[in-house]
């Protein structure tokens, strides 16, 4: 299960009860998918992870990210970065500068989500093509 902070006392395992006829692999797959969606399925997490994956070796400060990720508020960016750091997807490094600068980078564990993200990007591009083609008719 993901380690993302849960605001209610309800656990994923409480929401998905295993029917007596369900194969074990099906239930495990559903639970694993729910864990992944709990961590990456909101509006901003995947965008932040993708942003950091495409900007390795570059200073990714909070202000730069807030400016570059269109539409995200400082409060939401802070909340998502904390959750991603808690889940070991993002590394937070406080730089010894004045004023203090905080730099964010993707962890090796976070990089493991690359194939999933790239598949979503490719599907999203294809979906846009289909929808724009539909609009032309």
């Amino acid at each position: 299960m993901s380690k993302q902070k849960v605001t209610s006392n309800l656990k994923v395992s409480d929401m998905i009860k295993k029917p007596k006829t369900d194969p074990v692999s099906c239930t495990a797959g559903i639970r694993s998918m729910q864990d992944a969606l709990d961590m990456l399925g909101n509006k901003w997490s995947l965008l932040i992870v993708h942003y950091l994956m495409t900007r390795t070796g570059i200073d990714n400060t909070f202000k730069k990210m807030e400016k570059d990720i269109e539409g995200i508020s400082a409060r939401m960016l802070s909340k998502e970065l904390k959750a991603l750091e808690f889940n070991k997807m993002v590394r937070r490094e406080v730089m010894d500068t004045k004023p203090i600068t905080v730099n964010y980078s993707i962890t090796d564990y976070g990089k493991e989500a690359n194939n999933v993200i790239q598949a979503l990007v490719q599907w999203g591009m294809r979906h846009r093509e289909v929808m724009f083609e539909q609009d032309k008719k």
Side-chain angles (χ1 to χ4, degrees), residues 23-96:
V24 174
S25 61
C26 177
T27 302
I30 289 171
R31 287 184 176 170
S32 298
M33 184 179 291
Q34 186 64 52
D35 290 346
L37 289 172
D38 285 348
M39 189 172 64
L40 295 173
N42 64 50
K43 182 176 181 177
W44 299 109
S45 292
L46 275 175
L47 292 174
I48 293 167
V49 170
H50 181 29
Y51 177 92
L52 292 172
M53 274 191 205
T54 59
R55 287 161 180 82
T56 56
I58 300 172
D59 285 342
N60 296 303
T61 63
F62 184 89
K63 284 292 184 192
K64 183 168 180 9
M65 292 173 67
E66 183 183 12
K67 179 182 168 197
D68 289 350
I69 301 173
E70 190 175 323
I72 195 165
S73 68
R75 181 173 177 244
M76 184 57 67
L77 179 58
S78 176
K79 177 182 173 248
E80 293 302 325
L81 284 168
K82 284 177 186 173
L84 289 167
E85 182 183 10
F86 182 81
N87 282 289
K88 303 185 184 328
M89 300 288 288
V90 168
R91 182 179 308 107
R92 180 181 187 266
E93 182 180 2
V94 179
M95 309 304 283
D96 188 22

